[in-house]
Amino acid sequence: MHTSRPAASPFQFSARDIVRRPGAQRLVSETFPAPAVLGTDVIGVPVGTDVTLDLSFESVQEGIWVSGTVNATATGECGRCLDEVRQDVAAPLQGLFEYPDVRRDDEDETSEDVFEFDGESLDLEELVRDAVVTNLPFTPLCGPDCPGLCDQCGARLADDPDHTHEVLDPRWSALQSLIDEKES
Ligand SMILES: [Zn+2]
Ligand SMILES: [Zn+2]
């Protein structure tokens, strides 16, 4: 049999052995390098680093119910001091891969855990990506107490907590120039 599908993505898993067999279940444990960044603009799992999926594929009436965990390590930039942030991700995931011929009476836009399924292979990329992104911080921090950068010179305040700049109060400098005028 010929398929015109592009080269298999590591997120694609055959489910032929349990298709249309409600109650049948298969456990899947796979580790592979991320083919694309999983994450946001500020933090994500880099290309080529390990993504581990520990999943259960369960045949149900409407399709295949996928549940489990994705583990990976995300890297990003601290939102305050711009240092590198590394964060382990252990994201739960679950979704229903629905047979094309299933018509759901309760179809509504809120069922975001439902995915298309051609009856042969499960494409888990969107499910995994969503799970990872939901578990990443909106603003990554190198530590909860990161003091960030000095707004005067950009120095890292963590390296130099007592860091200050001599700032002349503008009122004093105005007064000083008055005195200077009188004395001249
Ligand atoms: Zn920081
Ligand atoms: Zn400074």
Side-chain angles (χ1 to χ4, degrees), residues 78-83 85 141-143 146-148 156:
C78 173
R80 291 187 195 149
C81 74
L82 312 181
D83 262 14
V85 174
L141 294 177
C142 62
C146 172
R156 292 184 70 235

Side-chain angles (χ1 to χ4, degrees), residues 1-179:
M1 193 180 85
H2 280 283
T3 65
S4 53
R5 232 173 300 145
S9 134
F11 290 105
Q12 287 209 356
F13 292 86
S14 169
R16 261 175 266 182
D17 54 333
I18 55 170
V19 159
R20 310 279 181 192
R21 290 178 53 210
Q25 191 189 19
R26 179 151 54 90
L27 298 179
V28 170
S29 189
E30 288 273 347
T31 298
F32 53 84
V37 174
L38 300 171
T40 65
D41 287 346
V42 289
I43 186 165
V45 178
V47 173
T49 62
D50 280 354
V51 175
T52 299
L53 302 179
D54 287 298
L55 303 175
S56 145
F57 295 166
E58 195 182 343
S59 196
V60 295
Q61 210 65 44
E62 305 83 15
I64 306 291
W65 176 252
V66 176
S67 61
T69 318
V70 48
N71 282 275
T73 301
T75 57
E77 209 171 57
C78 173
R80 291 187 195 149
C81 74
L82 312 181
D83 262 14
E84 190 189 67
V85 174
R86 288 171 64 84
Q87 185 171 325
D88 290 335
V89 180
L93 55 81
Q94 58 179 39
L96 174 66
F97 287 74
E98 206 173 50
Y99 296 132
D101 56 351
V102 172
R103 271 204 58 89
R104 290 154 50 86
D105 300 329
D106 58 342
E107 199 94 48
D108 61 59
E109 292 82 64
T110 59
S111 51
E112 53 193 38
D113 292 343
V114 177
F115 299 84
E116 282 178 30
F117 176 43
D118 59 10
E120 283 190 11
S121 73
L122 305 165
D123 184 356
L124 305 184
E125 179 159 5
E126 191 186 343
L127 178 63
V128 171
R129 181 179 297 277
D130 288 354
V132 169
V133 168
T134 333
N135 272 266
L136 290 173
F138 193 64
T139 303
L141 294 177
C142 62
D145 301 323
C146 172
L149 302 177
C150 170
D151 57 9
Q152 301 282 322
C153 71
R156 292 184 70 235
L157 295 178
D159 297 338
D160 189 3
D162 301 324
H163 180 100
T164 53
H165 291 266
E166 293 292 337
V167 183
L168 275 180
D169 187 310
R171 287 166 299 177
W172 284 113
S173 50
L175 197 59
Q176 187 67 47
S177 56
L178 276 177
I179 293 167

